[in-house]
Amino acid sequence: MSSKSGMEQVLVENEVQQVRLLDSVNDDHGGVIVELSESMDSKVFASMLKASLALWRSQGKRGVWIKVPIELVNLVEAAVKEGFWFHHAEPKYLMLAFWIPEGAHTLPANASHRVGVGAFVMNKKREVLVVQEKSGLFRGTGVWKFPTGVVDEEEDICAAAMREVKEETAIDTEFVEVLAFRQSHKSFFDKSDLFFVCMLRPLTFDIEKQESEIEDAQWMPWDEYVAQPFVQKHELLKHLVGIWKAKEDEAYFGFSPVPITSRFPDQKSYLYVNDRDLKGSKVRMSQTA
């Protein structure tokens, strides 16, 4: 349902006034959403916002969202003076939020995590694909590390891992499974961080390093990688070394992506599961049925 802008009698500061309202759409939680698109003077906007808030309050509305495109940034100050706060920002818009009822608000927080991937790629010679970076914490340290990166918006974890390997080393890969993941806090811009360690199978072997970000890249013997002082001292990497030893003994299995139907039309999704144990469970269930 939407409320078109128009002239209405609204109680503003104890006076009945004929004012123009903001276009709004009702959300699913008793609130309203406003997407600004029309250029206007900030004083005109302030008047419309006051009138709209008065109407929404009388209607028992709860949360108010105002999406402000970057070209209408002149309207932000007027909204902030009415009590709106910054909820989140994207390159081309700012989202403002407001809570009408008394007491603490129940609006959802902005996205709380950044998602990263690390790619474990080993060839049949028991060599792992490693890189040295030109920037960041490891610049100039001599540390050889797995290709890593951040998952892009609307990108699957499995796709991100293959993309990062391709970008940094030009190696084509096939995704195998998620070996493990780590959650940490107060990371990038004080957000929490989810880091997925992914196992990939190489399909090509000739390395071409990414000139803009990678100082060097190579296939390194596994034992040589493990012997690096940094790996020996880093708790996360020591755990991963143990995981790989268990995988070699076929005593550890990660999580493979299984395509599933999304509740949103025309969108795919993946469920990451221990496929081996799942198949084994199905076999046992069929035998006992």
Side-chain angles (χ1 to χ4, degrees):
M1 294 178 63
S2 63
S3 174
K4 296 297 183 181
S5 61
M7 304 299 293
E8 292 197 16
Q9 288 189 339
V10 179
L11 183 65
V12 180
E13 297 179 355
N14 297 322
E15 293 184 7
V16 176
Q17 300 179 9
Q18 194 83 357
V19 294
R20 184 183 172 198
L21 303 176
L22 295 169
D23 283 336
S24 65
V25 177
N26 294 333
D27 65 20
D28 294 330
H29 306 282
V32 295
I33 302 170
V34 176
E35 292 197 25
L36 299 177
S37 59
E38 177 186 347
S39 297
M40 67 182 78
D41 182 82
S42 60
K43 292 182 179 179
V44 173
F45 171 70
S47 176
M48 295 173 65
L49 181 57
K50 285 178 182 291
S52 298
L53 283 172
L55 177 63
W56 296 330
R57 185 174 284 108
S58 71
Q59 294 173 338
K61 299 298 183 183
R62 292 156 57 83
V64 180
W65 303 92
I66 298 183
K67 184 176 181 180
V68 186
I70 194 169
E71 60 268 19
L72 300 183
V73 67
N74 64 302
L75 306 180
V76 172
E77 183 178 0
V80 171
K81 287 181 177 179
E82 288 298 321
F84 281 79
W85 66 87
F86 294 179
H87 185 268
H88 67 271
E90 294 292 340
K92 294 186 178 181
Y93 75 86
L94 173 67
M95 185 66 77
L96 303 174
F98 182 82
W99 186 248
I100 294 177
E102 296 292 333
H105 75 81
T106 60
L107 295 175
N110 183 25
S112 60
H113 285 69
R114 186 179 72 154
V115 181
V117 290
F120 177 87
V121 187
M122 178 178 281
N123 62 24
K124 292 182 178 180
K125 298 178 182 179
R126 214 165 175 268
E127 298 170 328
V128 288
L129 184 62
V130 291
V131 299
Q132 289 183 337
E133 296 178 334
K134 285 186 175 180
S135 61
L137 294 175
F138 298 104
R139 180 182 62 179
T141 62
V143 170
W144 292 95
K145 59 183 287 292
F146 298 148
T148 58
V150 178
V151 179
D152 290 337
E153 188 174 351
E154 299 184 4
E155 183 179 37
D156 295 306
I157 292 169
C158 50
M162 293 187 291
R163 174 183 55 76
E164 286 293 345
V165 171
K166 181 68 173 180
E167 288 178 354
E168 295 188 4
T169 67
I171 297 295
D172 293 319
T173 57
E174 177 185 12
F175 188 87
V176 179
E177 61 190 20
V178 172
L179 291 174
F181 73 91
R182 177 215 63 200
Q183 182 185 29
S184 61
H185 305 289
K186 293 292 182 181
S187 182
F188 193 71
F189 287 125
D190 282 337
K191 296 294 185 181
S192 297
D193 184 86
L194 287 172
F195 182 73
F196 290 83
V197 182
C198 305
M199 179 179 175
L200 290 80
R201 182 178 298 111
L203 302 178
T204 60
F205 303 94
D206 294 331
I207 295 173
E208 293 181 23
K209 67 174 184 175
Q210 183 183 30
E211 291 296 334
S212 61
E213 296 184 12
I214 302 302
E215 186 67 37
D216 203 358
Q218 66 165 322
W219 290 104
M220 174 179 278
W222 172 245
D223 292 339
E224 187 177 331
Y225 168 80
V226 173
Q228 292 184 100
F230 176 76
V231 175
Q232 292 293 319
K233 296 177 181 178
H234 197 288
E235 189 173 4
L236 170 65
L237 296 179
K238 288 195 294 184
H239 278 294
L240 294 179
V241 169
I243 287 174
W244 178 247
K245 288 180 179 178
K247 276 203 68 66
E248 286 190 308
D249 295 336
E250 296 187 353
Y252 182 93
F253 295 87
F255 297 87
S256 302
V258 176
I260 61 174
T261 302
S262 171
R263 66 186 181 93
F264 299 104
D266 302 322
Q267 289 189 18
K268 67 176 182 179
S269 183
Y270 287 102
L271 178 67
Y272 291 82
V273 300
N274 182 325
D275 191 55
R276 185 201 69 133
D277 288 351
L278 183 64
K279 290 178 179 177
S281 175
K282 288 180 178 178
V283 170
R284 289 193 295 273
M285 289 174 65
S286 65
Q287 289 175 342
T288 57

